[in-house]
Amino acid sequence: MRTLYGMHYSGWTEKARWALDHHRVDYRYREHMPLIGELALRWRTPKGTHPSVPMFVDEDVATTTGSFAIARRAETLGQGSALFPDSAMASIQRWEALSDQVLGIARSSVVSRLSHHPRAQAESLPSFIPGFLRGVSAPTARLGARFIARKHKAMADPEAAIRQTAIPALEHLRAELRGRPYLEDGFTYADVTACMMLQFTRPVDDAWMPLGPGTREIWHHEAVAAEFPDLLAWRDDLYAKHRRPQARALSSGSGGAASRVG
Ligand SMILES: N[C@@H](CCC(=O)N[C@@H](CS)C(=O)NCC(=O)O)C(=O)O
């Protein structure tokens, strides 16, 4: 059985899932828990590769890590319209590079906000921890956040990076879209990867990405969201047209995470 390991609130995981679902690839989803799941993650990771999720494990076939590689693999495995048409490759690569940069900034911002947000900390714990223990288990969530910050070299001043890099990237997206529904002639991976840059400004609705209220708060940057209502409407429209809503409950095998940051 093909398995995708990921973190359901992470833009990188969402890009991989979107491509797999678009191509109607059959797979099961398993939630990765930072810190707690590190050993298992290293064990599954091919030698010489940085251990991270999303990771796509296909029996008897080399494991694929990284959202972009997984999305390309989905295109070879599944059906449906191409997300990587030759004519769009240059644009896809440009937006992918920018999206990766902005997602890194978003991770730094969310990790930093998580350490001051008890409700998001409680929500970020693994699902096997009962409700009455979540308050006292908050230090575990903070440990998870610190672990991610160290492992992925979080920025010391994410707000500065948002001003210097993320906002110009969104302005660039607005300029290139010019009010059109797609960056290229039709729906491609350029739209998927570019729209993920909006995830940290206001996450997409619960219908597509169910998040606890505290988690949703730390992923919401009102000052930036207020500057880009047109792009948020574009992103929501893409989801409405091209992404099947998720079941309210998280996919099988998913649970909490030592820290819901990504
Ligand atoms: N460029 C990679 C980035 C993946 C990435 O940074 N994943 C992080 C998200 S925070 C991760 O695996 N975190 C969990 C961990 O390291 O335990 C991609 O496109 O998939």
Side-chain angles (χ1 to χ4, degrees), residues 3-239:
T3 308
L4 180 76
Y5 295 90
M7 301 189 301
H8 70 279
Y9 47 88
S10 153
W12 284 296
T13 294
E14 173 63 1
K15 289 196 271 187
R17 285 179 103 172
W18 195 335
L20 287 162
D21 294 343
H22 172 86
H23 288 301
R24 300 194 282 286
V25 176
D26 200 22
Y27 67 98
R28 63 181 178 180
Y29 176 75
R30 291 286 180 264
E31 188 77 6
H32 165 70
M33 298 186 198
L35 186 61
I36 294 172
E38 179 67 12
L39 269 182
L41 178 65
R42 285 185 188 204
W43 179 75
R44 284 187 201 104
T45 303
K47 276 200 172 43
T49 306
H50 180 65
S52 69
V53 292
M55 174 183 287
F56 188 65
V57 180
D58 196 346
E59 280 160 23
D60 305 327
V61 183
T63 292
T64 311
T65 55
S67 50
F68 193 81
I70 297 169
R72 295 233 64 182
R73 180 143 172 69
E75 189 123 324
T76 67
L77 290 172
Q79 33 187 314
S81 64
L83 290 178
F84 293 88
D86 287 345
S87 57
M89 276 320 282
S91 156
I92 289 171
Q93 265 148 1
R94 261 190 310 113
W95 287 110
E96 172 66 8
L98 210 47
S99 166
D100 201 55
Q101 230 183 326
V102 173
L103 262 55
I105 295 169
R107 171 174 53 211
S108 298
S109 162
V110 171
V111 167
S112 142
R113 292 174 73 184
L114 179 69
S115 46
H116 309 293
H117 203 300
R119 186 162 188 182
Q121 287 166 11
E123 287 168 10
S124 76
L125 293 161
S127 53
F128 58 77
I129 296 186
F132 69 95
L133 276 181
R134 286 183 174 256
V136 294
S137 303
T140 311
R142 286 198 293 272
L143 267 182
R146 276 204 291 274
F147 171 79
I148 287 293
R150 264 197 317 273
K151 178 174 170 185
H152 296 282
K153 301 186 177 59
M155 290 150 192
D157 188 355
E159 281 301 312
I162 287 173
R163 282 193 304 276
Q164 282 155 18
T165 306
I167 291 180
L170 293 173
E171 282 165 348
H172 180 49
L173 176 59
R174 173 185 278 154
E176 207 154 300
L177 266 173
R178 301 188 305 278
R180 294 172 305 152
Y182 305 112
L183 283 161
E184 293 299 304
D185 284 344
F187 178 56
T188 68
Y189 196 73
D191 302 304
V192 173
T193 194
C195 87
M196 224 46 74
M197 298 192 297
L198 291 150
Q199 171 72 0
F200 85 97
T201 72
R202 187 181 297 146
V204 72
D205 190 84
D206 269 343
W208 288 276
M209 193 178 286
L211 300 173
T215 308
R216 187 163 281 278
E217 240 175 75
I218 61 171
W219 276 94
H220 183 170
H221 196 304
E222 184 48 37
V224 183
E227 282 190 46
F228 296 100
D230 51 335
L231 292 187
L232 285 164
W234 166 74
R235 186 271 317 266
D236 292 348
D237 215 41
L238 278 182
Y239 265 83

